[in-house]
Structure formats: C-alpha cells, structure tokens
C-alpha cells in the first residue's frame, strides 16, 4: 500500500513540475508578444508639414492628438499635380503638446516613434510624436 502512495505522490509531483514550467513558458511568451506589439519601437523618423490641429480628447483616457498636412507632388500618375498627405499622430508629453497647441498652422518637423499597436493611455494612433525638431 505504501508503494502505491509513493508512486502516486511522485506522479503528482512530476505533474506539478510540468504544469509549473508550462505556466512559466506561457507567461514568458505572452509577455514577449505584449512587449513586441505595444512597447517595441518598430520605426522612427521625422515628418514635416503644416500643423492642422492639436487637440486633447478621449472618453476615459485624455490623450493629445494632432494632424500634420504634408504637401508634395504626385496625384496618382499625373505629373505636376500638388497633393497633400495627412499624418495623424499622438503626442506623449505635455510640453510638446503645449507648443503645438499654440502654433497651429505653422510648419513643423516632428520626430516620431512608430509602434505595432496603440495603447489607450498613449494615444489613438501607432505614431507617437516625442519631440519637435524644428518649427518655422
């Protein structure tokens, strides 16, 4: 009888160890996926254009959002046609937002970081402006 209970306790101990390691692996993989999707900087660069607006909005999380109008040539194959592209972004700091808010309509060079996914407390877009390179 004691041999059966010893084998059962060894099997139970092995199962607990297996599920413990499995839980650890699942947590590490899940953490890596969350980091890659929401915190890993996928790309960064500078966008230039005229600031259309800078607003603070949101239902639960109030975030800073803005839109830059970029002018250029293009027009879907028609040469010499001036077109505009919109760069919609979020702003991460109060100081950058305050400068943008008080200078709407001016030409800006904005440094941004691009993420794979948006977080509600960081903004509505995957593009997050972290500093102003130049303002004209």
């Amino acid at each position: 009888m004691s041999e059966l209970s010893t084998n059962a306790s060894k099997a139970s101990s092995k199962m607990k160890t297996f599920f413990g390691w499995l839980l650890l692996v699942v947590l590490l993989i899940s953490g890596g996926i969350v980091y890659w999707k929401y915190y890993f900087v996928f790309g960064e660069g500078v966008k230039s254009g005229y600031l259309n607006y800078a607003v603070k909005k949101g239902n639960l999380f109030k975030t800073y959002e803005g839109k830059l109008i970029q002018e250029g040539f293009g027009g879907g194959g028609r040469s010499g046609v001036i077109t505009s592209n919109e760069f919609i972004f979020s702003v991460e700091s109060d100081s950058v937002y305050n400068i943008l808010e008080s200078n709407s309509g001016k030409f800006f060079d904005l440094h941004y970081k691009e993420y794979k996914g948006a977080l509600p407390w960081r903004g509505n877009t995957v593009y997050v402006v972290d500093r102003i390179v130049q303002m004209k």
Side-chain angles (χ1 to χ4, degrees), residues 44-52 67-71 87 89-91 96-97 99-100 103 105-113 128-136:
E44 60 182 300
V46 176
K47 296 270 189 176
S48 301
Y50 292 96
L51 182 66
N52 191 2
K67 184 183 348 181
L68 205 63
I69 304 297
Q70 301 172 292
E71 295 178 344
F87 174 59
F89 59 89
S90 301
V91 180
V96 172
Y97 170 73
I99 294 169
L100 293 174
N103 292 292
K106 291 189 177 177
F107 190 86
F108 282 92
D109 294 331
L110 301 176
H111 185 269
Y112 70 94
K113 295 178 182 175
V128 179
V129 169
D130 58 351
R131 63 186 161 91
I132 297 170
V133 176
Q134 186 177 6
M135 178 180 71
K136 299 176 190 173

Side-chain angles (χ1 to χ4, degrees), residues 5 9 19 30-31 41-42 44 46 55 64 74 77 86 94 102 111 113 118 134:
S5 65
S9 73
F19 284 118
S30 298
V41 177
F42 175 68
E44 60 182 300
V46 176
V55 296
Y64 304 123
E86 296 178 348
D94 296 336
S102 60
H111 185 269
K113 295 178 182 175
Q134 186 177 6

Side-chain angles (χ1 to χ4, degrees), residues 7-82:
N7 287 340
S9 73
K10 285 181 183 179
S12 174
S13 175
K14 286 182 180 182
M15 289 295 278
K16 286 180 183 178
T17 303
F18 171 75
F19 284 118
W21 280 106
L22 182 65
L23 179 64
L24 179 66
V25 167
V26 167
L27 287 175
L28 286 174
I29 290 173
S30 298
I33 290 170
V34 168
Y35 173 79
W36 180 78
K37 175 94 173 153
Y38 298 108
Y39 295 99
F40 175 73
V41 177
F42 175 68
E44 60 182 300
V46 176
K47 296 270 189 176
S48 301
Y50 292 96
L51 182 66
N52 191 2
Y53 64 79
V55 296
K56 181 178 180 179
K57 66 180 182 177
N59 292 321
L60 184 59
F61 298 102
K62 299 292 185 187
T63 59
Y64 304 123
E65 309 296 328
K67 184 183 348 181
L68 205 63
I69 304 297
Q70 301 172 292
E71 295 178 344
F73 291 99
R78 296 177 296 177
S79 62
V81 176
I82 296 177

